Amino acid sequence: MGRLNGKIILISGGARGQGAAEARRCVAEGARVVIGDLLDDAGNALAAELNGAAVYVHQDVTKEADWDAALQAAEAMGGLHGLINNAGIYQPKRLMDTDAELFERHMRVNQLGCFLGMKAVVPLMEKSGGGSIVNISSTAGLRGSPGAIAYSATKWALRGMTKAAAVDLAPRKIRVNSVHPGPIDTDMLKVRTAEENEQRLQFVPMKRMGTADEIASLVVYLLSDESGYVTGAEVAIDGGSTL
Amino acid sequence: MTPDEEWGLIGKVAIVTGGGSAGDGIGNGRAACILLARAGAKVMVVDRDLALAERTVAMIEAEGGTAVAVSYDVTTSAQCEAMVADAMSRWGRLDCLDNNVGIGSRGSVVEETEENWARVMHVNVDTMFLTCKHAIPAMIRSGDGGAIVNISSISALRPRGLTAYSVSKGAVIALTQAMAVDHGPDGIRANCVFPGPVYTPMVYAKGMTEQARETRRKASVLGREGNGWDIGRAVRFLLSDQARFITGQVLGVDGGATLVGPSRAS
Ligand SMILES: NC(=O)c1ccc[n+]([C@@H]2O[C@H](COP(=O)([O-])OP(=O)(O)OC[C@H]3O[C@@H](n4cnc5c(N)ncnc54)[C@H](O)[C@@H]3O)[C@@H](O)[C@H]2O)c1
Ligand SMILES: NC(=O)c1ccc[n+]([C@@H]2O[C@H](COP(=O)([O-])OP(=O)(O)OC[C@H]3O[C@@H](n4cnc5c(N)ncnc54)[C@H](O)[C@@H]3O)[C@@H](O)[C@H]2O)c1
């Protein structure tokens, strides 16, 4: 018995990494998924792997028209019950090394993308009887993250938008929660060497990185009806690193 | 009933303190017991009042689950030690602990008596210290790490005139996070669930007016009344393998009540 039986879930940035793990888990739990990303080859391959339970759409989260296209794909499947705002970029630079262009790029993908996504899905979710939105922030949205001011700014913004949207959307039976991953073993961390990533683990009480599949487990809980009374919550999944 | 494998709880051993509930009502502890058993765990239902724990076990056995009712008063170290030893000798291991025992209070520091203040701190905080003190070494000996959930309250974050209770539930959060740091390297995870105003025997057994119930329901931005199952599902999730990279967290199950801080008549 799947925990997401009959649900239709839209995942932005779902072609690889955490988004792909979430797509696989949602399908394993009985959902069908719409995967959006810029990476067409990876996205199409994943949709083919999920064989009938997934469609891939080319989607740049900064473009409203691309959200419309993703929503059309969901509507063609029969509705929408979940959104994972997962697309993101991480180009860590210290304050004095960050220029306006780098700052704006993070704002557009991580923050504007999440805002456009939340806004775009509301009518179809409401028509589908309500739903659950999961915004993928970061531990960089819970504390001062070293050397990544633009990224931090956007991930704090996601945390705040989550709470404001949770209040706005509650009357429409839409729940909104944020997830704050610590170091997770995906391509995103390749901005640092394996050695540098290893070094940072000394600050993690559980002494290891998390996996994309572990994030998917939390996301499944938040998408499912098991968390029907949970909204506006923030959950770090970081082996204790923000403590 | 075949338990879902994905929780990773099949054959695991869980202790739930305060796992009884008045009558046939579904309290937070009872709901957690039933859900853990459905996921395949062997559940030790601990209650000071054995009859209440036995009722929970009857509900579990009716579904084909495994559970035992035992009476321990978790306010003393000796009883907590005996409780853990009981689980270990009965089932040979200990994996999960839901610290659900808690009592309410009413009044400001000016109104509160010293005796009652001490009693609330003792029942709500010391019990969690004592159960963990004995459970953590047993979990480590069991070889698979362990998971603890301590039940805090929305009152820790949004106080409404239940001052001693608020303080005790705030301490529960600090205790949980400190244990997460101390025992993370041992593979022990510790998290809190903080319920909002949920409708359980703890709050309605002594009588609750329809008006008070309605005020509590409306405190949720979702406009829906929460219940013991909502809390139980969060507890099961955090105790399970589904949460194996989550520690030191404070998960609100409050229908969004903390977002807006409305009146909820305590
Ligand atoms: N890996 C970590 O340690 C970590 C930690 C905290 C938070 N996160 C967050 O988790 C989320 C997923 O990251 P990941 O670890 O899977 O990394 P990833 O780089 O593998 O995945 C990010 C995905 O987003 C897509 N994407 C980027 N810009 C896009 C755009 N404009 N439109 C649509 N898609 C776009 C990428 O193509 C990629 O598939 C991100 O929001 C990230 O910030 C990651
Ligand atoms: N219901 C709510 O609205 C709400 C809100 C916030 C927090 N909580 C918390 O939830 C927890 C309790 O929830 P519940 O619904 O299971 O309550 P409950 O009253 O149904 O069950 C508590 C059980 O604990 C037992 N108990 C009390 N003291 C004990 C002791 N010293 N040793 C052993 N057993 C003892 C009682 O006999 C009772 O059966 C408490 O920690 C409470 O503070 C509840």
Side-chain angles (χ1 to χ4, degrees):
Chain A
M1 200 183 63
R3 289 157 64 203
L4 300 174
N5 265 352
K7 292 194 193 290
I8 299 169
I9 314 282
L10 169 56
I11 306 168
S12 74
R16 71 172 199 203
Q18 293 174 43
E22 285 149 12
R24 291 190 178 97
R25 279 295 299 284
C26 287
V27 169
E29 293 291 353
R32 284 171 297 153
V33 296
V34 177
I35 301 161
D37 208 307
L38 300 170
L39 307 173
D40 295 342
D41 289 348
N44 281 316
L46 179 60
E49 173 195 321
L50 294 175
N51 158 32
V55 294
Y56 171 75
V57 290
H58 179 89
Q59 179 200 32
D60 178 343
V61 290
T62 68
K63 298 197 172 127
E64 282 187 84
D66 286 11
W67 279 105
D68 290 343
L71 263 295
Q72 273 168 27
E75 193 151 28
M77 272 188 178
L80 189 66
H81 312 94
L83 165 66
I84 311 170
N85 269 314
N86 165 76
I89 55 169
Y90 177 58
Q91 293 160 1
K93 286 218 161 43
R94 283 188 291 263
L95 171 66
M96 296 308 287
D97 301 323
T98 299
D99 57 19
E101 196 277 325
L102 185 71
F103 191 85
E104 274 188 3
R105 196 183 323 148
H106 279 86
M107 253 176 31
R108 291 190 67 76
V109 177
N110 296 1
Q111 184 179 353
L112 180 70
C114 173
F115 159 75
L116 291 177
M118 289 198 287
K119 200 172 165 193
V121 299
V122 168
L124 186 56
M125 262 191 193
E126 209 178 357
K127 230 171 78 184
S128 309
S132 167
I133 296 175
V134 179
N135 293 328
I136 308 296
S137 175
S138 166
T139 49
L142 296 171
R143 53 150 166 72
S145 180
I149 185 142
Y151 182 77
S152 258
T154 61
K155 293 299 186 179
W156 277 82
L158 255 62
R159 182 185 179 198
M161 292 201 299
T162 296
K163 298 197 192 302
V167 179
D168 280 357
L169 298 182
R172 299 172 191 255
K173 296 196 175 8
I174 297 174
R175 301 182 294 110
V176 192
N177 295 288
S178 61
V179 165
H180 300 261
I184 308 301
D185 194 6
T186 68
D187 286 349
M188 188 167 269
L189 291 192
K190 287 185 179 155
V191 294
R192 285 189 288 272
T193 65
E195 208 169 51
E196 286 167 338
N197 280 324
E198 190 64 34
Q199 276 246 311
R200 291 164 72 107
L201 293 183
Q202 63 179 308
F203 304 111
V204 182
M206 288 180 74
K207 303 292 173 209
R208 65 172 176 94
M209 276 198 222
T211 64
D213 197 53
E214 289 173 329
I215 306 297
S217 295
L218 172 56
V219 170
V220 166
Y221 170 73
L222 291 172
L223 290 173
S224 77
D225 298 338
E226 287 156 29
S227 61
Y229 204 52
V230 180
T231 193
E234 55 191 56
V235 186
I237 171 160
D238 66 351
S241 62
T242 39
L243 293 174
Chain B
M1 182 190 65
T2 40
D4 286 328
E5 274 174 40
E6 67 180 319
W7 299 107
L9 288 168
I10 296 175
K12 295 279 178 74
V13 174
I15 294 178
V16 178
T17 74
S21 253
D24 277 351
I26 296 296
N28 299 330
R30 177 170 284 164
C33 291
I34 294 172
L35 292 166
L36 288 166
R38 278 183 198 164
K42 297 172 187 150
V43 184
M44 180 176 256
V45 184
V46 179
D47 210 291
R48 203 174 38 188
D49 185 339
L50 184 62
L52 301 182
E54 281 170 342
R55 184 70 199 111
T56 303
V57 170
M59 289 173 165
I60 290 172
E61 286 177 343
E63 304 183 335
T66 304
V68 62
V70 290
S71 169
Y72 291 103
D73 179 342
V74 290
T75 56
T76 75
S77 185
Q79 293 264 302
C80 291
E81 188 174 12
M83 171 186 83
V84 169
D86 189 349
M88 290 297 278
S89 69
R90 210 179 279 268
W91 288 319
R93 56 183 302 117
L94 180 60
D95 305 282
C96 306
L97 170 64
D98 174 13
N99 267 317
N100 172 74
V101 163
I103 54 170
S105 81
R106 193 165 291 277
S108 69
V109 292
V110 176
E111 293 152 353
E112 187 63 274
T113 65
E114 288 166 54
E115 295 70 31
N116 196 55
W117 171 275
R119 191 175 74 97
V120 170
M121 294 301 283
H122 187 54
V123 175
N124 291 0
V125 187
D126 296 5
T127 57
M128 300 202 184
F129 156 60
L130 294 172
T131 56
C132 292
K133 182 178 181 58
H134 297 291
I136 289 172
M139 286 174 174
I140 294 172
R141 278 204 307 282
S142 302
D144 255 352
I148 298 166
V149 169
N150 295 326
I151 305 298
S152 178
S153 167
I154 186 174
S155 295
L157 306 169
R158 299 289 184 276
R160 290 289 184 283
L162 316 175
T163 299
Y165 182 69
S166 291
V167 172
S168 70
K169 292 298 188 178
V172 167
I173 295 174
L175 172 70
T176 305
Q177 296 189 327
M179 292 195 305
V181 170
D182 290 342
H183 297 290
D186 300 322
I188 307 283
R189 300 183 296 102
N191 293 287
C192 275
V193 168
F194 75 83
V198 293
Y199 193 66
T200 69
M202 176 182 172
V203 296
Y204 69 65
K206 287 185 192 142
M208 179 185 287
T209 64
E210 269 310 308
Q211 194 195 350
R213 184 174 178 183
E214 188 62 6
T215 307
R216 287 168 64 89
R217 180 182 70 77
K218 283 196 186 137
S220 152
V221 296
L222 293 172
R224 149 161 125 59
E225 180 174 71
N227 58 43
W229 296 114
D230 292 305
I231 307 308
R233 289 186 193 103
V235 171
R236 174 182 57 180
F237 170 72
L238 288 169
L239 289 178
S240 78
D241 277 359
Q242 295 287 309
R244 62 186 181 232
F245 200 51
I246 302 179
T247 194
Q249 290 306 296
V250 183
L251 174 60
V253 183
D254 68 346
T258 36
L259 296 169
V260 286
S263 161
R264 55 178 202 274
S266 75

